[in-house]
Amino acid sequence: MKNFGTILLASLISGSLTLGAYKLFFEHNVSDVKQNELITTTSPLKNASLEYAYNTNSFTEAADRTIHTVVHVKNVSYRTSPSNPILEYFYGYKGGQTQAQIGTGSGVIVSEDGYIVTNNHVIKGATQLEITLNDNRTFPAKLIGTDSKMDIALLKIDTKEKLPYSVFADSDGIKIGEWVLAIGNPYNLTSTVTAGIVSAKARNLSTSGIQSFIQTDAVVNPGNSGGALVNSNGELIGINTMIYSTTGSYAGYSFAVPSNMVRKIVTDIMEFGKVQQGILGVQGFELNTQIAGEQKVNLTKGFYVDAVNKKSGAETAGLKKGDIITAVEGKSISNFLDLNGIIATKRPNDFVNVEFVRNNKKQSIKVQLSSKEIAQLQFNGFEIEDLSDREKSNLGIDYGVKIKNVDNERYAAYADELQGAIILSVNGTKVNDIETARILLNENSGKNSLRLDVITKKMERVRLIM
């Protein structure tokens, strides 16, 4: 009995303490919640549910704002089939017949009067273009202009009423991990919405080495090309362009041309009929620990200026070999792709603020961008420039750059033959123009050997090993 009394007394004391603690802490907290409904529970499960509900609402609103601005693009082209005597004899097949070929993709309405952005590869070779709106109305479309390098095309349809359209967002402002939606017409399934996150920015996948993609894990398949990539506000941050795939279908990553580039291309085509491209006028490479040690600089990040183009805005402003560009227009620069991505949104004669380091001292200057037409490239004693349209026509090619001058002792004996020669590729990658050549030469300069496929003035194909 005595033991039972001791246990009972201990139980009563324990219960009193528990009840007191509950009154002191829990009822006080419940009262606070009633007074201020903005206070939420600290339960991880509750917070996750609230966050999920918030994102779901954002997705539905973003999709609702965008889905009516995305259209279906039909590309009709015609091909004449070749003659085949065997098929003609046995099966009555007649060669030389013209057959229609149909391709499809997506597009985004970017103005209320019917301007539509899509990919150049969606409409390439088309003799007829047809647009189907989200309400199933169809309209013939005309091609206004293209930028094949950035894979962007601008179309126009004529309607009597104003159309819903997508608003451009600042693609430079997006962050890795940010939620995005991809909207398009994969496999002719109209008005399809998928969600993902921004996986990477300034991704370089182009074989010509010039594009700067937004990478996402939103599901994109054939037919999505030219469709919209939007943020959680339903604003356009990119035009879906390609996927990473070994099968032709989605395999985990998709890529979009940033909206800042798209907007600049569209504006140029509307105002000038073609894309206006300005250049800074520098050549160089990405800074790293090894180069920083060799150049005796304290930085390990930035764009090292190895040469400055003659008569360029960079030369006029005072940039010099050895300068390290760290930012342009307040945006951090690590490599030429970062630099090119910012300059690609500018026009000739625009001014940009360039921050750089010289002799381990930070400086900044204003540089007026030059016209692309005066662009030249100096590399390893070779001065390189673009081919004119007439030169390409005379040679029967649609790509390549010209060696204007040779000042490399190793090739002094061949200088006369190489001056005026045409560089067709660098390490097996086709060179379309001087911008492509600059990037490919910079990217491959650290490799053991550099192979240039060249057509000499004697129209002989040779390979230079540098």
Side-chain angles (χ1 to χ4, degrees), residues 137-446:
R137 287 182 296 160
T138 61
F139 298 89
K142 59 182 177 181
L143 177 62
I144 303 300
T146 66
D147 184 348
S148 58
K149 184 180 356 182
M150 299 307 298
D151 199 16
I152 293 296
L154 182 64
L155 312 179
K156 177 72 166 64
I157 61 173
D158 295 321
T159 63
K160 294 181 180 179
E161 74 278 6
K162 295 179 179 180
L163 297 173
Y165 62 94
S166 285
V167 176
F168 285 97
D170 179 7
S171 54
D172 288 340
I174 63 171
K175 298 179 180 179
I176 295 174
E178 182 177 335
W179 281 101
V180 289
L181 299 181
I183 303 174
N185 305 282
Y187 303 116
N188 285 323
L189 300 172
T190 59
S191 306
T192 298
V193 181
T194 56
I197 62 168
V198 175
S199 306
K201 297 170 62 177
R203 183 70 80 197
N204 178 20
L205 293 178
S206 172
T207 55
S208 59
I210 53 176
Q211 297 203 15
S212 179
F213 292 100
I214 298 170
Q215 177 183 322
T216 80
D217 64 355
V219 178
V220 170
N221 278 300
N224 270 108
S225 291
L229 185 71
V230 302
N231 60 21
S232 59
N233 293 322
E235 300 164 332
L236 189 67
I237 61 170
I239 296 295
N240 294 315
T241 297
M242 65 172 64
I243 59 176
Y244 171 79
S245 176
T246 56
T247 63
S249 297
Y250 176 76
Y253 296 110
S254 55
F255 304 90
V257 180
S259 59
N260 286 359
M261 289 187 181
V262 176
R263 177 168 45 193
K264 191 261 182 182
I265 292 168
V266 168
T267 303
D268 281 356
I269 292 174
M270 285 182 174
E271 293 185 13
F272 306 101
K274 64 177 183 179
V275 177
Q276 306 290 301
Q277 183 61 63
I279 63 168
L280 189 63
V282 296
Q283 299 153 41
F285 39 82
E286 179 180 352
L287 195 65
N288 56 36
T289 304
Q290 179 181 349
I291 296 171
E294 293 172 356
Q295 302 300 326
K296 298 180 180 179
V297 295
N298 297 329
L299 297 176
T300 56
K301 183 178 179 182
F303 180 78
Y304 182 86
V305 177
D306 191 49
V308 179
N309 291 356
K310 297 176 182 178
K311 299 180 182 179
S312 68
E315 183 185 55
T316 302
L319 282 172
K320 298 179 181 180
K321 178 177 179 177
D323 290 343
I324 301 166
I325 298 175
T326 56
V328 175
E329 294 293 274
K331 297 167 185 173
S332 179
I333 301 296
S334 296
N335 50 46
F336 185 78
L337 196 61
D338 291 339
L339 185 62
N340 189 61
I342 296 171
I343 302 302
T345 65
K346 307 296 181 181
R347 294 174 177 163
N349 299 320
D350 283 352
F351 283 89
V352 294
N353 186 62
V354 177
E355 298 173 38
F356 64 99
V357 173
R358 179 184 295 170
N359 298 325
N360 290 319
K361 294 181 180 179
K362 294 182 179 180
Q363 301 184 44
S364 70
I365 55 173
K366 288 282 185 182
V367 179
Q368 186 174 25
L369 300 183
S370 309
S371 172
K372 177 185 174 183
E373 281 66 31
I374 73 163
Q376 291 183 342
L377 169 65
Q378 286 87 33
F379 181 84
N380 199 18
F382 285 73
E383 187 175 324
I384 302 166
E385 65 181 9
D386 274 326
L387 286 169
S388 67
D389 291 338
R390 177 177 292 182
E391 287 172 321
K392 290 180 181 179
S393 178
N394 291 340
L395 291 168
I397 58 177
D398 59 0
Y399 65 97
V401 292
K402 182 169 66 176
I403 300 174
K404 184 180 180 181
N405 189 42
V406 177
D407 188 21
N408 185 318
E409 292 183 1
R410 180 180 175 185
Y411 296 97
Y414 310 99
D416 289 341
E417 189 174 346
L418 288 175
Q419 286 177 2
I422 312 301
I423 299 175
L424 298 176
S425 67
V426 175
N427 281 3
T429 300
K430 183 189 294 185
V431 175
N432 292 317
D433 52 26
I434 197 169
E435 289 182 57
T436 309
R438 180 181 291 113
I439 296 172
L440 290 175
L441 289 170
N442 287 333
E443 286 181 347
N444 290 280
S445 61

